[in-house]
């Protein structure tokens, strides 16, 4: 079967990269025969100028074309400057934020590891995929301009972008070839990283899994009057441990995550001209706020404008 051609991503689809019904990321990354897609993103054009906390089964490569951005993982904050890149391993919880006084234009390459050997070569997968996919030291890898191997990776990423944009006959073969070259360079990096010998403290081993489950719960119930006790119960821990877990991984409280997601969803509804967003009071109720004044206050905190001002901008756009 001939793989279905992947159309150029539209502005609406680019927005969906961060606005989706599940925090497991944008749904369509190529197809089962060619699980690879490229996204061109201007961070200031994204909803709330960020890509919210999410994760996916695919690997992600980021190349920053201009500006500056911050990538957050469950354990680090990485600042990328123009011309630098980042590797993010599969299922790693991450978010992308704008850096104050900077915009950021970047290319995101998202692909499933099955693109290399399909699902039928256990020996090659163990030999060449496992050393990276299962390496705790390779949750992410900064790709700078100062070393020969990383310079080559950045060059390959730019070539990959061009190939995918032009999509001439046979581009899938050439893209796969470049990805294989990038993976080989990542393997060389992974071989120099000392493996973790000591276990992480027992109380933090399940932190990331708990946070993912809590995010699912919040994003499925945000419109309800949920409490800290509800969030903690959803991941079977105490309220105090729930707060500590959020602080360790996301560096915010469960309440802060809930408030930010409610505002995130409110902007989504206005952008889509949802009937529930016809009035600010009905919008506030739809996203879980019982008090319109408090909704206005929280909205302005995150967007530096009122819901009414934001709605006017949406109508003008």
């Amino acid at each position: 079967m001939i793989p279905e051609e992947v159309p150029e991503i539209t502005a609406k689809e680019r927005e969906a990269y961060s606005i989706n019904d599940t925090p497991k990321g944008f749904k369509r990354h190529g197809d089962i025969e060619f699980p690879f897609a490229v996204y061109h993103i201007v961070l200031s054009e994204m909803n709330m100028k960020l890509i919210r906390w999410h994760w996916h089964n695919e690997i992600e490569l980021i190349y920053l074309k201009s500006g500056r951005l911050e990538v957050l993982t469950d354990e680090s904050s990485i600042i990328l400057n123009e011309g630098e890149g980042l590797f993010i391993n599969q299922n790693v919880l991450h978010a992308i934020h704008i850096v104050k006084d900077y915009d950021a234009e970047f290319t995101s390459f998202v692909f499933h590891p099955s693109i290399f050997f399909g699902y039928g070569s256990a020996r090659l997968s163990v030999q060449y995929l496992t050393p990276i996919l299962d390496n705790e030291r390779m949750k992410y890898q900064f790709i700078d301009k100062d070393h020969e191997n990383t310079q080559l990776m950045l060059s390959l990423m730019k070539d990959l972008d061009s190939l995918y944009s032009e999509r001439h006959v046979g581009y899938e073969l050439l893209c796969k070839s470049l990805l294989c070259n990038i993976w080989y360079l990542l393997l060389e990096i992974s071989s120099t990283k000392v493996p973790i010998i000591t276990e992480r403290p027992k109380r933090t081993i399940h932190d990331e899994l708990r946070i993912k489950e809590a995010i699912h719960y919040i994003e499925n119930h945000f419109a309800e009057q949920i409490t800290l006790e509800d969030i903690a119960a959803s991941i079977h821990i105490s309220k105090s441990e729930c707060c500590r877990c959020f602080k360790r991984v996301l560096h915010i409280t469960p309440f802060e995550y809930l408030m930010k997601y409610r505002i995130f969803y409110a902007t989504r509804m206005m952008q889509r001209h949802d009937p529930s967003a016809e009035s600010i009071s009905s919008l506030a109720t739809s996203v879980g706020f019982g008090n319109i004044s408090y909704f206005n206050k929280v909205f302005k905190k995150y967007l530096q404008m009122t819901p009414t001002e934001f709605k006017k901008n949406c109508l003008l756009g």
Side-chain angles (χ1 to χ4, degrees):
M1 184 174 72
I2 298 174
E4 179 179 282
E5 184 178 358
V6 181
E8 184 67 28
I9 187 167
T10 65
K12 185 176 288 187
E13 288 174 319
R14 185 169 63 242
E15 181 186 32
Y17 182 84
S18 69
I19 302 177
N20 43 68
D21 294 327
T22 167
K24 286 207 70 169
F26 189 73
K27 297 288 190 183
R28 178 175 56 80
H29 302 297
D31 56 44
I32 194 168
E33 293 190 349
F34 189 60
F36 173 68
V38 178
Y39 306 101
H40 299 105
I41 300 163
V42 178
L43 205 49
S44 63
E45 295 177 0
M46 303 299 286
N47 197 19
M48 293 180 70
K49 300 181 181 180
L50 57 81
I51 294 175
R52 64 190 179 88
W53 286 102
H54 68 289
W55 66 96
H56 34 71
N57 291 327
E58 294 82 11
I59 290 146
E60 184 170 4
L61 290 168
I62 292 172
Y63 175 74
L64 182 57
K65 298 167 83 172
S66 65
R68 206 173 187 212
L69 60 79
E70 178 184 28
V71 181
L72 300 169
T73 72
D74 64 326
E75 57 186 29
S76 302
S77 166
I78 308 106
I79 300 294
L80 294 188
N81 293 299
E82 185 174 327
E84 296 176 337
L86 188 72
F87 159 81
I88 303 172
N89 215 332
Q90 62 179 172
N91 293 315
V92 170
L93 191 63
H94 61 286
I96 303 176
H97 288 192
I98 208 160
V99 175
K100 187 178 180 181
D101 299 327
Y102 288 88
D103 197 356
E105 182 180 356
F106 65 97
T107 305
S108 173
F109 307 88
V110 185
F111 61 96
H112 194 274
S114 63
I115 196 170
F116 295 117
F117 308 118
Y119 294 95
S121 181
R123 181 182 66 82
L124 291 176
S125 294
V126 168
Q127 187 172 354
Y128 297 116
L129 299 184
T130 300
I132 292 178
L133 300 181
D134 292 351
N135 189 339
E136 187 69 19
R137 296 289 193 192
M138 288 293 289
K139 294 180 78 171
Y140 67 89
Q141 175 61 46
F142 176 59
I143 305 170
D144 60 35
K145 299 179 285 187
D146 300 329
H147 300 89
E148 185 178 351
N149 278 3
T150 49
Q151 281 179 355
L152 180 53
M153 287 174 68
L154 293 168
S155 177
L156 291 169
M157 288 161 71
K158 287 189 278 187
D159 291 344
L160 194 56
D161 189 12
S162 298
L163 279 171
Y164 189 87
S165 296
E166 295 167 3
R167 283 201 281 276
H168 296 310
V169 175
Y171 80 94
E172 297 95 337
L173 293 172
L174 295 172
C175 285
K176 183 173 179 177
S177 172
L178 292 178
L179 285 172
C180 285
N181 276 291
I182 291 170
W183 196 260
Y184 176 79
L185 295 170
L186 285 167
L187 274 170
E188 288 196 331
I189 291 172
S190 72
S191 68
T192 66
K193 293 204 168 188
V194 179
I196 295 176
I197 298 173
T198 57
E199 276 192 10
R200 285 182 289 174
K202 187 174 182 180
R203 71 173 190 167
T204 64
I205 287 175
H206 302 299
D207 276 358
E208 189 173 341
L209 179 59
R210 285 170 172 168
I211 288 298
K212 288 177 179 178
E213 290 176 355
I215 286 174
H216 270 304
Y217 179 81
I218 290 171
E219 298 187 5
N220 285 327
H221 299 274
F222 71 94
E224 304 166 19
Q225 295 304 307
I226 60 175
T227 64
L228 173 59
E229 187 173 7
D230 295 326
I231 298 169
S234 75
I235 52 177
H236 314 293
I237 58 177
S238 68
K239 291 187 290 183
S240 56
E241 179 58 17
C242 180
C243 289
R244 288 192 292 268
C245 189
F246 265 78
K247 280 289 188 179
R248 286 194 295 262
V249 178
L250 303 186
H251 312 293
I252 58 175
T253 67
F255 182 75
E256 287 171 320
Y257 187 92
L258 172 61
M259 291 298 105
K260 197 164 190 176
Y261 186 74
R262 282 175 170 171
I263 299 304
F264 183 95
Y265 205 87
T267 60
R268 175 187 186 182
M269 292 174 71
M270 285 189 277
Q271 287 170 334
R272 296 184 174 185
H273 308 295
D274 190 291
S276 297
E278 285 185 7
S279 72
I280 301 303
S281 59
S282 64
L283 175 63
T285 302
S286 297
V287 295
F289 284 90
N291 184 305
I292 188 170
S293 296
Y294 186 58
F295 172 65
N296 286 333
K297 180 181 178 180
V298 177
F299 194 101
K300 192 167 185 178
K301 173 185 174 182
Y302 290 120
L303 277 297
Q304 289 77 54
M305 66 177 74
T306 66
T308 301
E309 290 169 336
F310 186 91
K311 188 175 181 180
K312 285 180 180 175
N313 289 341
C314 291
L315 293 173
L316 290 173

